[in-house]
Amino acid sequence: MGDMVINPVLDDIGRALIVDVETTGLNPSKDEIVELAWILFTFCRTTGEILGIIDTYSGLREPTTPIPSPATAIHGITNAMVQGQTLDGPRIAWAFNQAECVIAHSAAFDQAFITRLDPSLPHKVWGCSLRQIPWTHYGYPSRRLHNLLQEHGLSDLGRAHRALNDCFALITLLRQRNGNGDYHLATLLQHMASKSSRTTLP
């Protein structure tokens, strides 16, 4: 049998998942997800350039207890909107299986809720675009997602605090470059790689 031939172009293309959740509150041990969204995309491992979107998903979920009014005031999701709604578990699992890493803005929050929702999801390296990109070092006064969009001269991408809108906001932000000319995604991937020996990223 001949030696395996690796296509360097294809080998340099990775897949990552951006996720966002909206919830009934801030405590993952007792509060619940009411909306989950993701964007599965391809990127260049060498440069961190985002190459394209493979698929997107957004789903509502009826929690076991009513959504508190303070939570609805933040994300706009009402009890009437989620009545009878369930998430597409197989599709979510498919997306996690496709991706080599998962990214969120405040990843600890999203990861805690998603892990509690479905502990059987495959283990992935998580990256936090809030904490693992040195925004203040680059001169940005706020790490809030929609403030960062504005600081980059980008218009807000629809209503804030809805999960899919926030996913699109984050992928738009990660396509931008820092003062050194590097893509923000590249910086994030480098920080993720330094935190975990299990990642396949550079």
Side-chain angles (χ1 to χ4, degrees):
M1 181 179 295
D3 294 336
M4 180 181 295
V5 176
I6 298 176
N7 187 325
V9 175
L10 295 179
D11 192 52
D12 197 38
I13 297 175
R15 290 185 175 191
L17 193 69
I18 287 176
V19 299
D20 188 72
V21 299
E22 304 300 338
T23 65
T24 60
L26 301 178
N27 188 341
S29 66
K30 66 176 184 178
D31 293 312
E32 300 179 60
I33 292 174
V34 295
E35 185 177 44
L36 185 149
W38 49 255
I39 297 175
L40 180 66
F41 67 95
T42 57
F43 66 94
C44 175
R45 292 194 182 100
T46 301
T47 65
E49 179 183 5
I50 293 173
L51 303 175
I53 292 174
I54 299 171
D55 198 8
T56 67
Y57 169 80
S58 177
L60 293 171
R61 173 184 177 273
E62 183 177 9
T64 57
T65 58
I67 303 172
S69 55
T72 296
I74 293 173
H75 49 54
I77 300 171
T78 66
N79 289 295
M81 292 168 61
V82 300
Q83 186 174 4
Q85 299 292 315
T86 59
L87 297 173
D88 189 339
R91 190 171 176 192
I92 295 168
W94 171 83
F96 269 77
N97 277 304
Q98 291 291 310
E100 58 197 68
C101 62
V102 182
I103 297 169
H105 204 70
S106 190
F109 179 87
D110 297 88
Q111 183 179 15
F113 275 95
I114 291 174
T115 300
R116 181 182 173 222
L117 176 72
D118 187 354
S120 70
L121 287 173
H123 171 79
K124 299 291 175 178
V125 175
W126 280 71
C128 181
S129 55
L130 176 73
R131 301 186 183 280
Q132 290 181 296
I133 298 177
W135 298 112
T136 55
H137 174 76
Y138 297 137
Y140 299 107
S142 171
R143 296 184 300 174
R144 290 174 61 89
L145 178 57
H146 295 275
N147 289 349
L148 286 167
L149 282 177
Q150 293 174 357
E151 289 289 334
H152 283 78
L154 302 168
S155 60
D156 206 340
L157 303 175
R159 183 177 180 181
H161 301 302
R162 288 301 300 269
L164 189 56
N165 287 338
D166 283 350
C167 288
F168 274 111
L170 181 52
I171 198 170
T172 299
L173 181 63
L174 294 177
R175 289 180 187 270
Q176 311 308 308
R177 298 176 185 264
N178 61 30
N180 298 325
D182 300 320
Y183 290 106
H184 289 316
L185 178 60
T187 302
L188 177 58
L189 295 176
Q190 290 165 5
H191 279 80
M192 291 166 63
S194 69
K195 293 294 183 181
S196 175
S197 60
R198 290 170 293 187
T199 180
T200 61
L201 306 177

